[in-house]
Amino acid sequence: MNEPARLHGGHGHGYLPAMGRDRLLPLYDPFTRLLGVRSMHRRLADQAGIAAGHQVLEIGTGTGNLALLVKRRHPQANVVGLDPDPLALGRARRKAARDGLDVQWDLGSAAELPYPDGSVDRVLSALMFHHLDEAVKERTLTEVRRVLRPGGRLHLVDFAGQPHGVFSRWAGRNRRLHGNVGDQVPTRMREAGLTDVAECGRGRLGVGFYRATR
């Protein structure tokens, strides 16, 4: 999985930056720690059942926290983090170098995965799916199915309805969150040709954990 990735999408410079604006990127890691995203990452990694030799791809890796967690836990797995934001990937590379972790960082879009058919054992996605518009969600899941090996799995955590508390007003203004309400995420997975689709539980902020298999 060494082929260069390609940019895709809108939002001005082809993607939605991690904090909405490039200049806010330094706040991203402290903000996600405050929200408890680390515990979501740990739970998702636990559910993924990653083994030595697995090819693991995180789509929408951002500053790389989930990919780095997986590499720490599974040093014999091959871990790739893909994101369209070069500034976020720069932070991910610096963290990996600091910690001596060998992760491949690719610039590109989840809707146009630059990897061969049937080349990935696990695809991971954490709090990225709700950023995508409806057409891109469909293309992303189709691409995920394409790159997964037979028996390979997608493990995804994202908002599963209207988050509560401090997020309620934000959720009401964010039309893309409406596309995650109810069973829409698993329905889209099935429509993309994935099987064994299941919701594996709920977490803080109204997130749902999902699994699907090629």
Side-chain angles (χ1 to χ4, degrees):
M1 294 177 63
N2 296 311
E3 301 151 33
R6 301 182 294 278
L7 291 176
H8 179 83
H11 306 298
H13 45 342
Y15 54 88
L16 182 66
M19 288 292 291
R21 298 178 184 274
D22 289 338
R23 62 184 173 81
L24 298 179
L25 181 61
L27 301 177
Y28 179 74
D29 284 341
F31 181 68
T32 57
R33 283 196 296 270
L34 180 66
L35 296 182
V37 172
R38 282 179 171 176
S39 65
M40 295 180 202
H41 286 171
R42 290 192 293 267
R43 182 171 171 181
L44 193 70
D46 288 343
Q47 292 176 356
I50 296 163
H54 270 177
Q55 191 74 40
V56 181
L57 169 65
E58 184 194 0
I59 54 175
T61 193
T63 61
N65 295 318
L66 175 56
L68 292 168
L69 169 67
V70 169
K71 189 64 178 179
R72 287 189 196 97
R73 288 186 170 192
H74 305 283
Q76 301 306 312
N78 301 305
V79 181
V80 177
L82 177 133
D83 200 274
D85 186 342
L87 297 179
L89 285 180
R91 286 183 172 264
R93 290 190 182 97
R94 290 192 292 274
K95 288 192 283 191
R98 179 192 67 202
D99 295 345
L101 296 171
D102 182 16
V103 175
Q104 178 178 319
W105 307 106
D106 287 343
L107 184 69
S109 166
E112 296 182 33
L113 294 176
Y115 310 116
D117 296 358
S119 60
V120 180
D121 296 288
R122 298 288 186 271
V123 175
L124 308 180
S125 174
L127 302 181
M128 180 275 285
F129 198 63
H130 71 279
H131 287 300
L132 308 178
D133 63 31
E134 298 307 306
V136 178
K137 285 177 179 177
E138 180 181 344
R139 291 198 298 273
T140 294
L141 291 174
T142 300
E143 280 289 272
V144 166
R145 183 187 182 280
R146 179 184 65 79
V147 302
L148 280 172
R149 294 189 174 112
R153 297 202 304 264
L154 165 65
H155 289 267
L156 182 152
V157 58
D158 211 313
F159 297 114
Q162 296 290 348
H164 301 290
V166 296
F167 278 82
S168 58
R169 277 182 284 181
W170 169 69
R173 293 194 301 266
N174 190 330
R175 62 181 176 79
R176 288 182 176 152
L177 284 180
H178 301 164
N180 282 22
V181 172
D183 64 353
Q184 292 189 71
V185 173
T187 295
R188 286 192 178 90
M189 290 176 170
R190 294 185 187 97
E191 289 173 349
L194 295 163
T195 62
D196 188 30
V197 175
E199 182 179 322
C200 304
R202 295 289 177 107
R204 289 186 59 192
L205 307 178
V207 301
F209 292 81
Y210 303 96
R211 178 196 70 219
T213 304
R214 176 178 177 184

